[in-house]
Amino acid sequence: MAARGGESYDSLVKDLQELVKTKQCGPILIRLSWHDAGVFSDGKLKGGCPNAAMRFTDAGEGTFGANAGLPDVALGLLKPITEKYVPSVIGHADLWTLAANVAIKEMGGPDIKTRFGRKDAESSSDSVESQVGRLPDGDKEIDHLREIFHPKGFDDKDIVALSGAHTVGKCHLDRSGFDGAWTEEPLKFDNTYFKEMLEKEYSEDKTEKGNPQFKSGSGTIMLISDLALLKDSAFKKHVETYAKDQDAYFKDFTTAWVKLQENGVTGLRDSL
């Protein structure tokens, strides 16, 4: 990892690496950081930042449907590490950010520099007002993706790069209403998401919850918002680039991901 903060930092990283290996929980740690930071907007809606407001479940972000599974499952997995290092070494929001970046590298992805200094929410009242207009829906098309991401400062290339995080993890029926993994190896962070999107044939499918999605012959899935990337040349050209060139994908993902993790916060530092 790029940032350093002495022995306590090194010990924290080792504990996170071990958690990802033993619990195979890298994808949900990535989702935790993404949904914590992804509420930021600077369009019609304002504000939001990575502040770990999800740890409060009386109201606010900890109760958002889009965050199902995060306050209980993700934070449950992190609990031993949280109790060991927060607040003496690191804050909650910084821990969630670092945990995601450790998980990405541990699963074969890029080594992403983590900066520190996010201010933790003090209660659920520090949440944004709603997930609507801030977090993307899996059953929407291109216009929706642009409406969500452009006010966060992301262009079309960034949207494609960030979508590539679906190369790991899976949809859980009881959380999102969607069901299945996007790729054959959902614990490997690489450019397979883009390769499979271009190479496989997908047919319309509905989950037991009635949610529309697409399924391949091998059982992997794509959401409407995934296949939307092939419907506009401004998106598709980047899908094609990333399918051919993993280094290009890792470079562009890292740029967009760091921006996502740092949106809405100032004064970050390189070490704890």
Side-chain angles (χ1 to χ4, degrees):
M1 305 300 293
R4 285 288 174 268
E7 289 182 15
S8 58
Y9 174 83
D10 293 338
S11 173
L12 168 57
V13 169
K14 285 179 183 175
D15 284 350
L16 288 168
Q17 289 170 332
E18 190 63 22
L19 176 68
V20 172
K21 283 179 192 169
T22 57
K23 299 294 187 181
Q24 298 188 323
C25 61
I28 200 170
L29 297 180
I30 295 171
R31 182 170 164 247
L32 179 67
S33 175
W34 158 218
H35 282 231
D36 185 36
V39 294
F40 169 84
S41 187
D42 194 30
K44 292 177 184 175
L45 300 171
K46 300 289 185 184
C49 66
N51 64 359
M54 252 185 282
R55 69 190 197 278
F56 301 106
T57 56
D58 59 308
E61 292 173 37
T63 65
F64 289 179
N67 294 337
L70 295 176
D72 47 357
V73 179
L75 295 191
L77 288 161
L78 271 178
K79 187 177 180 181
I81 293 175
T82 301
E83 290 176 344
K84 184 175 178 181
Y85 293 100
V86 178
S88 60
V89 174
I90 194 171
H92 291 280
D94 282 344
L95 174 61
W96 297 6
T97 304
L98 178 63
N101 294 344
V102 168
I104 288 168
K105 185 182 179 186
E106 200 61 35
M107 292 189 291
D111 187 353
I112 298 173
K113 179 179 179 178
T114 305
R115 297 202 299 164
F116 304 94
R118 293 162 188 78
K119 186 177 183 297
D120 287 340
E122 295 179 6
S123 72
S124 60
S125 64
D126 292 323
S127 299
V128 295
E129 72 295 330
S130 169
Q131 69 189 42
V132 177
R134 294 182 182 272
L135 295 173
D137 297 324
D139 60 352
K140 300 288 198 308
E141 297 273 4
I142 292 165
D143 289 347
H144 173 73
L145 292 174
R146 288 186 171 127
E147 286 167 8
I148 293 290
F149 284 97
H150 285 184
K152 302 182 193 300
F154 295 116
D155 60 18
D156 290 348
K157 181 172 75 170
D158 297 326
I159 294 171
V160 178
L162 289 171
S163 297
H166 284 168
T167 199
V168 295
K170 60 179 290 188
C171 295
H172 296 263
L173 191 64
D174 60 330
R175 298 175 196 169
S176 66
F178 301 107
D179 192 19
W182 287 271
T183 63
E184 302 287 348
E185 295 184 85
L187 293 175
K188 185 177 180 183
F189 197 104
D190 57 15
N191 64 338
T192 301
Y193 169 79
F194 301 108
K195 288 181 175 180
E196 293 196 13
M197 183 184 293
L198 291 171
E199 293 169 2
K200 288 185 173 182
E201 289 188 11
Y202 295 89
S203 56
E204 290 186 9
D205 183 46
K206 269 198 175 179
T207 69
E208 289 180 16
K209 293 281 183 78
N211 286 22
Q213 59 180 32
F214 295 86
K215 187 171 279 189
S216 72
S218 65
T220 58
I221 69 155
M222 289 283 165
L223 304 179
I224 291 172
S225 58
D226 296 310
L227 294 186
L229 303 181
L230 301 180
K231 291 186 174 183
D232 187 316
S233 60
F235 286 104
K236 189 176 181 180
K237 66 182 180 181
H238 299 300
V239 173
E240 292 170 337
T241 296
Y242 299 152
K244 293 175 192 168
D245 189 343
Q246 182 168 280
D247 289 342
Y249 166 52
F250 279 8
K251 178 177 177 288
D252 291 347
F253 174 80
T254 297
T255 300
W257 180 249
V258 170
K259 184 174 186 175
L260 176 78
Q261 289 187 318
E262 298 186 355
N263 264 343
V265 290
T266 57
L268 295 177
R269 56 186 185 272
D270 289 336
S271 63
L272 286 170

